[in-house]
Amino acid sequence: VQLQASGGGLVQAGGSLRLSCVASGGTFSTYSMGWFRQAPGKEREFVSGISYSGGSTMYEDSVKGRFTISRDNAKNTVYLQMNSLKPEETAVYYCAATRRLDARWSREYTYWGQGTQVTVSS
């Protein structure tokens, strides 16, 4: 499975971005998908995850109520809508795929996209 993330950019604090991740080379609807982020000098951290069908979602506590994950299996795409962005959320954001359910750890994910940079200015 190949994953291609896009949608990052520079935004002011309080602004919004929508990230997209397109999958190819596999049966997208059989994978749970996740979004992770990694800031300079920090470990990669879980942001959000979504089940195969989209019926179940998970969020890291600090993004609950501001970020929304969704997927369109017909388009082989997972999205992350990010609202009310904060400067400390500046990071490279990665999408990832796994056959596990409720996966929050990076080691549980098999396939990774190349990452898209999100920069939030204060």
Side-chain angles (χ1 to χ4, degrees):
V1 176
Q2 292 80 47
L3 302 174
Q4 181 73 39
S6 63
L10 174 64
V11 63
Q12 289 188 333
S16 299
L17 284 173
R18 189 176 82 152
L19 306 183
S20 300
C21 175
V22 180
S24 61
T27 305
F28 181 68
S29 61
T30 65
Y31 289 91
S32 295
M33 300 297 295
W35 285 98
F36 289 74
R37 62 190 178 192
Q38 187 167 20
K42 294 188 176 182
E43 293 186 356
R44 191 170 298 188
E45 65 172 357
F46 174 80
V47 175
S48 183
I50 189 166
S51 62
Y52 313 127
S53 66
S56 176
T57 57
M58 302 182 295
Y59 297 94
E60 192 268 329
D61 285 347
S62 70
V63 308
K64 286 180 180 177
R66 298 187 297 117
F67 289 14
T68 303
I69 191 170
S70 61
R71 66 189 296 162
D72 185 339
N73 285 346
K75 295 182 178 180
N76 290 353
T77 303
V78 61
Y79 305 97
L80 185 67
Q81 176 67 43
M82 305 186 296
N83 298 329
S84 301
L85 281 161
K86 304 174 181 180
E88 57 265 36
E89 294 177 314
T90 293
V92 177
Y93 283 69
Y94 298 90
C95 59
T98 178
R99 291 194 183 274
R100 293 176 176 260
L101 296 175
D102 299 328
R104 288 179 173 265
W105 300 99
S106 58
R107 61 178 179 268
E108 298 181 281
Y109 285 80
T110 306
Y111 303 102
W112 292 83
Q114 86 290 358
T116 185
Q117 176 70 47
V118 172
T119 302
V120 185
S121 64
S122 57

